[in-house]
Amino acid sequence: MTDVRDQHRRLVRSLAPLPEESLPGFLLRLSHRLGCSPTRVAELGGLSSHRRHVPARHLLGLPEDLALQFARVARLSTHEIKSLTLQHFAAAVPVLRSHPHSATRTNTLISVDWGMNAASRYRPACLRGDGSPIQQEFGGAWKLRRHLPLSFACTRHDRLLSDVCPGCHQPLIGLADRRLSLLQRPRVPGAHPAACRNAAVTRDNTAVGGAVVASGVMVEDAPHGIPGGGAWRWPRPEWRPAHR
């Protein structure tokens, strides 16, 4: 369980969430600024009690007590904290309307399977940021809407989204201690928010350091030729079938 002493601590420094930023993306940026692991930030905010992972169910929504604790620790408002979760889209996506912390375990698993992707899809250009000093240092936002299964393209850059690392070609999320986690290797500190957190491997596919070292490949540097890097356009008007 979370250390009782941690419940009364507040972060010395924090960050303002970026527009449309997701909870895992915010944890990555904030932990990088503080020089600690995402797990440590999650523990202080009451989001992790196992020291191994950040439960994926938190992306679906946070109960009031957790939202209040995390807001106090991160020096933010509860509205800012709740806007990092998919409850923001609950009105448009019916499966998200059942709050995971008041639902049965079965309903929660259904919401995870059908209502969200634990791993975010991404567009490299979005992760490079907008050129502002804060985004030059920590990168752009991991977009919340890109955890929705129906999100497959970036309308700003007219490109399809990718869901794997361009270096190791593995999904950007996985199981931690046999539990679905919001972040891959959340106990590893020091990785840039836009860096792959999959285990670094050698040429013979053996993990470096017993599979505890993040690869560090910058997914924001993905070439256009990777899967999901192709150009994409909305259909032109003349392509649409005529109304009858």
Side-chain angles (χ1 to χ4, degrees), residues 133-214:
I134 193 70
Q135 294 194 34
Q136 284 182 345
E137 184 172 359
F138 302 113
W142 287 90
K143 300 285 188 179
L144 178 62
R145 69 177 63 242
R146 292 175 182 173
H147 284 275
L148 297 174
L150 53 81
S151 180
F152 62 90
C154 175
T155 55
R156 178 182 178 186
H157 297 102
D158 288 341
R159 295 276 177 172
L160 296 175
L161 302 176
S162 182
D163 59 357
V164 298
C165 169
C168 67
H169 305 291
Q170 297 297 314
L172 298 178
I173 200 66
L175 296 177
D177 193 29
R178 298 183 179 181
R179 300 171 185 266
L180 188 61
S181 175
L182 272 185
L183 298 170
Q184 189 76 293
R185 309 195 178 282
R187 291 182 294 171
V188 176
H192 189 275
C196 173
R197 300 184 70 85
N198 289 322
V201 296
T202 62
R203 291 184 179 180
D204 59 357
N205 287 330
T206 59
V208 174
V212 296
V213 181

Side-chain angles (χ1 to χ4, degrees), residues 17-18 20-31 38 41-42 45-48 54-63 66-67 70-71 74 76 80-87 89 101 116 118 120 141-145 147 181-183:
L18 298 175
E20 298 187 60
E21 187 168 28
S22 68
L23 177 60
F26 179 71
L27 288 174
L28 288 173
R29 289 197 313 119
L30 183 55
S31 62
V41 175
L47 304 183
S48 176
V54 184
R57 68 177 183 272
H58 289 332
L59 185 59
L60 290 169
L62 295 174
L66 273 186
F70 192 22
L76 299 173
E80 288 175 308
I81 294 300
K82 291 181 178 181
S83 69
L84 299 171
T85 74
L86 289 173
Q87 283 301 299
F89 298 106
H101 294 274
M116 61 167 271
S120 175
W142 287 90
K143 300 285 188 179
L144 178 62
R145 69 177 63 242
H147 284 275
S181 175
L182 272 185
L183 298 170

Side-chain angles (χ1 to χ4, degrees), residues 122-125 127-129 139-140 166 192 194-195 217-222:
Y122 70 94
R123 184 70 214 137
L127 293 179
R128 295 189 190 104
H192 189 275
V217 173
M218 297 295 288
V219 296
E220 66 177 21
D221 294 331

